[in-house]
């Protein structure tokens, strides 16, 4: 059964889902208000607002639909026209990324999707250093439970979209689906299954977007920003708890490269998150507390669902909040 056929049984396709952007994005329950229709409508609205601010594509006068654009009618100006898309480890997040990418690409944008799941900061950094980028979208629901998914919008500097921008997205929402919806659903069906620990299926390359390695340059930049010799001499032993989220494997990889002994927990590919909420606060950090004491390690670092927040536990089992870590860094 295809994705579209399967989701038709969950909710009448004629229903118009209510979509409102809150603090840093729109979020809803997968298979309910977050479905192929609502994701497509958001992608369509975002593409039209991006195009208003970055007129890299000129349409034929005969085309006033704002939906499906025939490639023969496109004139590309020498201006930034790239949109980057990332996604976290939630159920079908990578496949929704392909759906969203197909719709945005239909507006003439050069759309690059992360080859595998990535933290939100990796997407933000990738947008900010790419001179061709006009912005980005992150398929994530941050610290919300596993059954939620959402879309965060990033501006040309990689920062979060201000309320004035998301208000424009809400105003631009159409009740009807974009004309590219069939191609978008096909892209979903042909993209990677779920979270994807492996590179994306190349069969999705036929849908007018392409996959890019966002993680290698980002991790290399992180490594270059610290004193690796000093860290290696410290002889640290730490626990890393990504709470099944987008920090999985990546923080382990960086710390191990720096000579830190690392034990990673809650790091399997499990889009249910084993019932844990991916938020680095008690009680969801309790597994890290237990592991630090059990191993006698120096600390535990815990990231949230899209790995844009980090908390810690010291060697005595005391909780160090993300806010306090930021204060210490400053």
């Amino acid at each position: 059964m295809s994705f579209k056929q399967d989701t038709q049984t969950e909710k009448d396709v004629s229903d118009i889902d209510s979509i409102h952007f809150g603090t840093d994005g729109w979020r809803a329950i997968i298979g309910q208000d977050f479905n192929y229709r609502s994701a497509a409508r958001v992608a369509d609205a975002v593409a039209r607002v991006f195009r208003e601010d970055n007129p890299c594509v000129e349409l034929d006068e005969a085309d006033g639909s704002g939906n499906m654009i025939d490639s023969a009618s496109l004139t590309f100006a020498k201006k930034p026209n790239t949109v980057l898309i990332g996604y976290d480890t939630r159920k079908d997040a990578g496949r929704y990324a392909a759906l969203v990418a197909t719709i945005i690409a239909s507006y003439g944008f050069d759309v690059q999707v992360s080859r595998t799941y990535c933290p939100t900061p990796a997407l933000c950094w990738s947008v900010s250093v790419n001179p061709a980028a006009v912005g980005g979208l992150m398929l994530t629901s941050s610290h919300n439970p596993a059954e939620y998914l959402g879309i965060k919008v990033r501006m040309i500097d990689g920062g979060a979209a201000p309320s004035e921008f998301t208000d424009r997205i809400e105003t631009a929402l159409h009740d009807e689906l974009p004309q590219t919806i069939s191609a978008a659903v096909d892209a979903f069906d042909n993209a990677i299954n779920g979270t994807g620990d492996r590179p994306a299926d190349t069969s999705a390359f036929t849908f007018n977007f392409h996959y890019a390695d966002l993680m290698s340059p980002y991790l290399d930049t992180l490594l270059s920003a610290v004193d690796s010799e000093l860290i290696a001499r410290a002889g640290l032993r730490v626990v890393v708890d990504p709470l099944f989220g987008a920090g999985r494997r990546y923080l382990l990889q960086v710390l191990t490269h720096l000579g830190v002994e690392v034990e990673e927990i809650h790091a399997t590919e499990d889009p249910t998150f084993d019932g844990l909420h991916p938020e680095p606060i008690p009680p969801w950090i309790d597994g890290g507390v237990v592991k630090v004491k059990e191993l006698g390690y120096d600390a535990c670092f815990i990231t949230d669902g899209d790995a844009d927040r980090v908390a810690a536990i010291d060697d005595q089992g005391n909780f160090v909040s993300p806010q306090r870590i930021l204060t210490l860094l400053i």
Side-chain angles (χ1 to χ4, degrees):
M1 179 178 291
S2 74
F3 167 60
K4 190 170 183 178
Q5 290 173 326
D6 184 53
T7 53
Q8 281 178 330
T9 64
E10 296 181 5
K11 194 171 183 178
D12 191 322
V13 295
S14 65
D15 290 349
I16 299 299
D17 306 294
S18 177
I19 296 171
H20 297 289
F21 280 74
T23 303
D24 201 12
W26 161 65
R27 301 164 190 176
I29 295 177
I30 302 169
Q32 295 185 23
D33 286 347
F34 195 100
N35 51 60
Y36 79 90
R37 300 176 306 281
S38 57
R41 290 171 59 225
V42 169
D44 183 72
V46 170
R48 283 186 283 113
V49 174
F50 271 152
R51 194 180 66 194
E52 288 174 4
D53 292 350
N54 305 275
C56 57
V57 178
E58 297 176 1
L59 303 182
D60 282 349
E61 293 181 3
D63 182 3
S65 67
N67 288 310
M68 184 63 174
I69 303 170
D70 184 77
S71 60
S73 70
L74 300 181
T75 300
F76 292 93
K78 294 182 178 180
K79 296 180 180 179
N81 75 322
T82 298
V83 176
L84 303 181
I85 297 179
Y87 56 94
D88 69 9
T89 57
R90 293 166 193 274
K91 182 180 183 294
D92 288 335
R95 305 179 88 176
Y96 275 110
L99 183 150
V100 166
T102 301
I103 292 170
I104 294 177
S106 73
Y107 280 85
F109 288 106
D110 170 30
V111 180
Q112 300 178 18
V113 180
S114 178
R115 191 175 295 278
T116 187
Y117 65 86
C118 67
T120 292
L123 175 72
C124 297
W125 178 84
S126 299
V127 171
S128 70
V129 299
N130 187 333
V134 302
L137 285 82
M138 181 72 186
L139 277 290
T140 181
S141 195
S142 189
H143 60 274
N144 290 91
E147 60 267 28
Y148 283 81
L149 188 55
I151 297 177
K152 292 182 176 182
V153 180
R154 289 295 178 262
M155 306 304 289
I156 194 169
D157 63 353
S163 58
E164 294 82 4
F165 192 87
T166 55
D167 286 347
R168 291 173 61 198
I169 295 173
E170 289 189 22
T171 300
L173 286 167
H174 286 166
D175 288 347
E176 66 273 15
L177 295 176
Q179 294 180 20
T180 47
I181 188 62
S182 294
V185 170
D186 287 343
F188 181 102
D189 282 334
N190 285 278
I192 58 174
N193 182 19
T195 65
D197 280 337
R198 60 192 178 281
D201 186 345
T202 55
S203 65
F205 287 18
T206 60
F207 294 105
N208 207 28
F209 66 87
H210 58 279
Y211 288 94
D213 178 10
L214 303 187
M215 288 308 304
S216 295
Y218 175 69
L219 296 178
D220 288 345
T221 300
L222 286 182
L223 288 168
S224 69
V226 299
D227 188 334
S228 57
E229 293 184 1
L230 181 64
I231 294 173
R233 289 199 303 269
L236 297 172
R237 299 181 303 163
V238 305
V239 176
V240 168
D241 185 357
L243 294 174
F244 299 101
R248 181 161 55 89
R249 293 206 325 256
Y250 297 133
L251 185 53
L252 165 69
Q253 180 180 334
V254 168
L255 292 175
T256 301
H257 185 86
L258 292 170
V260 178
E261 184 178 341
V262 182
E263 176 81 12
E264 189 177 44
I265 63 174
H266 300 143
T268 56
E269 183 175 346
D270 181 359
T272 73
F273 300 163
D274 196 28
L276 289 176
H277 289 197
E279 185 165 15
I281 61 172
W284 315 115
I285 63 168
D286 290 352
V289 174
V290 171
K291 202 67 177 178
V292 166
K293 292 181 177 179
E294 172 192 319
L295 297 174
Y297 275 17
D298 299 302
C300 174
F301 296 110
I302 313 104
T303 52
D304 71 335
D306 62 337
D308 64 355
R309 280 191 296 155
V310 60
I313 298 161
D314 69 14
D315 59 348
Q316 301 300 310
N318 298 308
F319 174 60
V320 185
S321 70
Q323 294 85 351
R324 190 171 185 186
I325 288 178
L326 285 175
T327 305
L328 291 168
L329 288 172
I330 292 171

